[in-house]
Amino acid sequence: MKGIRPNTWHSEELFARAQSVIPGGVNSPVRAFKAVGGTPRFIARAGGSRLWDADGNELIDYIGSWGPMILGHSHPRVQQAIRTALEEGLSYGAPTERELELAELVLKAYPACDLVRFVSSGTEATMSALRLARGYTGRDLIVKFRGNYHGHADSLLVQAGSGLLSAGGGTAKTAPSSAGVPQAFAELTLVADYNDVASLEALFSQRGPDIAAVIFEPVVGNAGVLVPTAAFLMALRDLTRQHGAVLIADEVMTGFRLAPGGGVELLGLEPDLVCWGKIIGGGLPVGAYGGKAEIMGYIAPLGPVYQAGTLSGNPIAMAAGIETLRLLAENPPYAKLEAYGKALQEGLEDILRATGIPATINRVGSMITLFFCPGPVATYAQAVEADTEAFKRFFHGLLERGVYWPPSQFEAAFFSAAHGQAELEVTLQGARAALQ
Ligand SMILES: *Cc1c(COP(=O)(O)O)cnc(C)c1O
């Protein structure tokens, strides 16, 4: 399809139909291509590193369902595990062996956690972890970082990243990033700057005794990729410990992606609570939160903090998660992902150097962002300096050449264990043409 504009007739028709029945035609805002313009591709099927859209165009996928598909799409063993579970019924509202199997796999990878509770999304995981931290400490305030995204719970839609960055949310210090979040809720969320130790120290020195928790992305994906400094990570741990606040690592994106034990293992961190999502469901709706028994003991039915879910621990979703984590443990893809990421980054850097376009690539393992600004990009303030018009050209240039990059400057691109030399070549060829 080189040089030929791909056909998008079916996607255009479906998008028009979708907009008459679904707000904006999508069930999650970033899918609507608002930040880059154009018509979102409707996807018909997926396998390995590839997606096929409704018009039959083959795309190399750098979204991976926004994180879960680390093994590539439609892995035969995951599909088979789902088929097996399917035959046994869909949902019982009673405990099953699969839940404890997945719990054991998660806890084995995170030895600092004793107990884990399953929910159905990353949003539910962070929301529940915050309630737990508040119940455990008896305090109301939480601290988050500008441009970090933790799902769409009210208290967390304050200076949030991901789709909210491209949509242009509120900017005042504790202004909600979304309409419908009461100012009174937003006032319980304090916002500090990622990689800025002084901003965190200032909050603790003013409000320390009232802070229940600090929640953070171990490596940020939702402002584009931002890499934490060692000093920042140390300050997070020291300040929370000193002031009796719960440190919550939001590993919904990074868990099982950056290492078997996620960002926490990679960075040598010791959080009090961890949130998971995405990969632990293998592409089905699963989230989880866990930590030391002392804190997790506050969750009902053990303790006074209520949290429940009709479909929590759903057997089909558990089956997908179990098989995914088993495959990751049997044949860890992390060295391969790192090699692919390194080659992709170096290839892109060569192209950028030749074109003279000011850009910075941030990458940790299989999470990568090409920021269209000179860099370095270590903070949210630096990330939002990026040239979003240049990004749009890059995005559409790639898409026309069969490479599906995330449709926003402020998102991480992901690749999978199914990405190899062929994908690398098409991607770099596409990037070379897109950046000309
Ligand atoms: C995706 C994500 C969430 C939200 O998960 P959902 O399943 O979309 O609700 C929370 N935190 C982080 C870091 C994420 O990347």
Side-chain angles (χ1 to χ4, degrees):
M1 72 168 86
K2 222 189 312 176
I4 301 166
R5 250 193 132 73
N7 189 357
T8 58
W9 191 80
H10 280 106
S11 277
E12 280 162 25
E13 194 191 26
L14 290 170
F15 192 44
R17 236 176 91 198
Q19 288 175 87
S20 70
V21 287
I22 297 170
V26 293
N27 284 310
S28 199
V30 74
R31 299 179 196 168
F33 276 25
K34 276 240 164 170
V36 290
T39 305
R41 299 292 180 87
F42 276 65
I43 304 304
R45 66 194 170 89
S49 64
R50 311 295 164 118
L51 300 171
W52 285 270
D53 70 16
D55 292 279
N57 301 301
E58 182 175 314
L59 304 168
I60 295 178
D61 184 18
Y62 281 95
I63 299 183
S65 187
W66 299 98
M69 311 317 298
I70 191 169
L71 298 169
H73 292 280
S74 311
H75 192 287
R77 267 182 53 188
V78 178
Q79 307 283 89
Q80 188 50 49
I82 292 171
R83 248 178 248 119
T84 304
L86 200 58
E87 295 302 317
E88 296 162 12
L90 298 183
S91 179
Y92 323 116
T96 65
E97 189 171 349
R98 284 197 179 87
E99 289 160 81
L100 62 96
E101 279 176 31
L102 188 56
E104 284 162 358
L105 285 165
V106 170
L107 294 175
K108 194 168 171 202
Y110 283 78
C113 298
D114 302 319
L115 294 171
V116 56
R117 166 64 61 81
F118 290 111
V119 291
S120 297
S121 68
T123 293
E124 268 189 89
T126 58
M127 184 180 80
S128 309
L130 284 182
R131 184 181 306 134
L132 173 57
R134 284 170 161 157
Y136 173 72
T137 58
R139 304 172 178 180
D140 286 342
L141 297 181
I142 59 159
V143 175
K144 75 178 287 290
F145 296 97
R146 212 175 303 278
N148 282 203
Y149 178 71
H150 305 291
H152 65 86
D154 284 335
S155 310
L156 291 166
L157 288 182
V158 178
Q159 295 276 313
S162 191
L164 292 150
L165 263 182
S166 5
T171 49
K173 208 159 177 93
T174 56
S177 303
S178 163
V181 175
Q183 185 62 31
F185 287 17
E187 277 163 14
L188 297 177
T189 301
L190 310 177
V191 179
D193 283 303
Y194 199 81
N195 276 338
D196 181 344
V197 174
S199 75
L200 191 60
E201 279 171 346
L203 291 182
F204 271 104
S205 73
Q206 291 157 20
R207 313 293 300 271
D210 301 320
I211 295 174
V214 176
I215 187 166
F216 72 107
E217 292 184 60
V219 169
V220 180
N222 290 297
V225 174
L226 302 179
V227 185
T229 65
F232 175 68
L233 294 175
M234 211 182 299
L236 268 177
R237 187 59 280 184
D238 290 349
L239 285 167
T240 45
R241 217 165 247 160
Q242 219 172 299
H243 293 268
V246 175
L247 182 60
I248 306 175
D250 180 354
E251 293 247 58
V252 171
M253 184 180 283
T254 49
F256 296 93
R257 176 162 289 277
L258 298 183
V264 163
E265 176 186 309
L266 185 77
L267 302 165
L269 268 171
E270 215 189 293
D272 302 309
L273 290 179
V274 179
C275 299
W276 297 274
K278 298 185 173 137
I279 288 175
I280 65 161
L284 289 183
V286 180
Y289 61 102
K292 289 262 178 263
E294 186 199 333
I295 304 179
M296 292 301 287
Y298 275 68
I299 283 291
L302 291 178
V305 177
Y306 190 71
Q307 184 272 307
T310 301
L311 295 176
S312 292
N314 173 271
I316 315 295
M318 293 292 107
I322 291 165
E323 205 58 28
T324 299
L325 295 199
R326 274 193 193 140
L327 283 157
L328 289 174
E330 278 170 27
N331 190 10
Y334 304 101
K336 182 182 176 193
L337 291 171
E338 174 58 29
Y340 187 90
K342 184 164 182 286
L344 176 63
Q345 177 170 0
E346 287 172 358
L348 290 171
E349 280 168 351
D350 284 345
I351 296 167
L352 289 164
R353 212 172 295 119
T355 58
I357 295 171
T360 305
I361 296 179
N362 281 359
R363 181 183 69 84
V364 179
S366 54
M367 293 168 58
I368 185 168
T369 299
L370 195 171
F371 286 106
F372 285 90
C373 56
V377 182
T379 65
Y380 167 81
Q382 289 166 336
V384 295
E385 285 301 308
D387 178 351
T388 51
E389 290 302 318
F391 177 80
K392 278 184 205 176
R393 288 191 292 276
F394 175 65
F395 169 81
H396 283 293
L398 283 178
L399 187 59
E400 280 170 23
R401 292 167 182 88
V403 180
Y404 190 29
W405 203 257
S408 162
Q409 169 71 94
F410 307 111
E411 299 285 358
F414 302 100
F415 40 87
S416 75
H419 286 64
Q421 195 56 36
E423 286 78 5
L424 184 66
E425 276 166 25
V426 175
T427 305
L428 292 178
Q429 211 173 355
R432 209 168 287 121
L435 291 168
Q436 242 162 29

